[in-house]
Amino acid sequence: GQVYIDSKGHPTVGYGFNLDDLEMRKKIPLDVIAGKRAMTTQEAQPIFIERYNQAARDAYNYLGRDAMLKLDPQRQAIIVDMAYNMGLGKLSEFKKMKEAILAGDNQRAASEMMDSEWFKQTGKRAKSHVLKFGSK
């Protein structure tokens, strides 16, 4: 796709690749950054895979291996998606959510997700994540 401005005002392309991130910029063709053409799936896919794999590692680092593996695959995917969206640094600020997950209280964890800038900025996807994470 073409470069667009995300909800925080960052120029973005592909699968949420923030062009204000200098490391990310190095991976994007200059003519795409300049808006001369759209990024192709073939260009975006390897970057997405690299970022997704990093997000999965970040999710495991955030919760710990045992706690992550206790979650069902849908809830694991939600934590990975949050890591993809925010990175480990910002995800690590969700201390009360982590406490709730470690205590096995998914409804409280979902409530903690809602009490964040991430929830306000991520829109429908965040609302869907909260509903799924907090469900029985």
Side-chain angles (χ1 to χ4, degrees), residues 88-106:
L88 180 58
K90 288 214 166 64
L91 181 61
S92 294
E93 294 172 10
F94 282 72
K95 291 176 175 43
K96 290 181 180 179
M97 181 181 83
K98 180 179 177 179
E99 287 172 14
I101 294 169
L102 294 177
D105 189 343
N106 293 331

Side-chain angles (χ1 to χ4, degrees), residues 53-101:
N53 289 337
Q54 182 61 53
R57 288 190 296 274
D58 290 346
Y60 275 79
N61 285 333
Y62 166 70
L63 269 187
R65 184 179 180 277
D66 292 345
M68 196 63 177
L69 292 176
K70 282 181 187 171
L71 293 175
D72 61 77
Q74 178 174 267
R75 287 185 177 93
Q76 288 178 9
I78 289 169
I79 301 301
V80 172
D81 187 68
M82 291 177 76
Y84 183 93
N85 189 257
M86 292 184 279
L88 180 58
K90 288 214 166 64
L91 181 61
S92 294
E93 294 172 10
F94 282 72
K95 291 176 175 43
K96 290 181 180 179
M97 181 181 83
K98 180 179 177 179
E99 287 172 14
I101 294 169

Side-chain angles (χ1 to χ4, degrees), residues 11-84:
T12 305
V13 72
Y15 300 102
F17 307 150
N18 179 350
L19 296 178
D20 284 339
D21 176 334
L22 295 180
E23 287 304 308
M24 183 56 60
R25 268 186 101 87
K26 292 177 188 175
K27 300 171 192 220
I28 311 295
L30 291 175
D31 54 349
V32 170
I33 293 171
K36 293 181 180 170
R37 68 174 180 88
M39 184 174 212
T40 68
T41 302
Q42 290 81 6
E43 291 168 327
Q45 200 68 29
I47 299 167
F48 170 77
I49 291 167
E50 177 187 322
R51 287 194 63 222
Y52 183 86
N53 289 337
Q54 182 61 53
R57 288 190 296 274
D58 290 346
Y60 275 79
N61 285 333
Y62 166 70
L63 269 187
R65 184 179 180 277
D66 292 345
M68 196 63 177
L69 292 176
K70 282 181 187 171
L71 293 175
D72 61 77
Q74 178 174 267
R75 287 185 177 93
Q76 288 178 9
I78 289 169
I79 301 301
V80 172
D81 187 68
M82 291 177 76
Y84 183 93

